[in-house]
Amino acid sequence: MAMYNPPHPGEFIKEVYLEPLNVTPRSVALQLKVSPSTFSRLIKGQSAISPGMALRLSKCLGRSPESWLHMQDSYDLWQAKQNIDLSEVEPLLIPA
């Protein structure tokens, strides 16, 4: 089921994990074994969750790697639908 304007995964991490647990982005970055700047870009919505990051998030925060990637895909697809004009794209006609 498509979600209306899904949050960027970084926003989700910030709201569900960082703020309620009162942990700093730097401390989570250290747990993830990534640089603080890498994790900071993620939670600011400036970078996407890669398969490698999905594995790290799964181990550190929980949820499956697939759920992290699905969250990123949902966000990316919704953004694309808002910004890509398909009015001139035609279906491929396959001869019978």
Side-chain angles (χ1 to χ4, degrees):
M1 177 181 206
M3 184 187 287
Y4 174 74
N5 194 9
H8 185 278
E11 181 182 343
F12 176 83
I13 291 168
K14 191 171 159 185
E15 291 178 3
V16 173
Y17 295 97
L18 301 183
E19 291 171 355
L21 299 174
N22 199 29
V23 294
T24 65
R26 182 175 180 75
S27 66
V28 176
L30 294 173
Q31 291 294 116
L32 291 169
K33 305 297 185 210
V34 299
S35 72
S37 62
T38 295
F39 189 64
S40 178
R41 284 191 303 275
L42 175 63
I43 62 171
K44 290 179 181 176
Q46 297 170 343
S47 67
I49 291 179
S50 66
M53 182 59 84
L55 290 169
R56 290 171 188 272
L57 290 169
S58 177
K59 177 89 185 238
C60 183
L61 301 178
R63 304 174 58 97
S64 70
E66 293 83 2
S67 71
W68 289 111
L69 291 172
H70 182 266
M71 191 180 302
Q72 184 67 55
D73 286 344
S74 295
Y75 174 81
D76 290 343
L77 184 57
W78 192 87
Q79 292 296 319
K81 286 179 179 180
Q82 305 314 302
N83 297 303
I84 295 176
D85 179 10
L86 298 174
S87 63
E88 294 184 21
V89 176
E90 297 291 331
L92 178 64
L93 298 176
I94 301 176

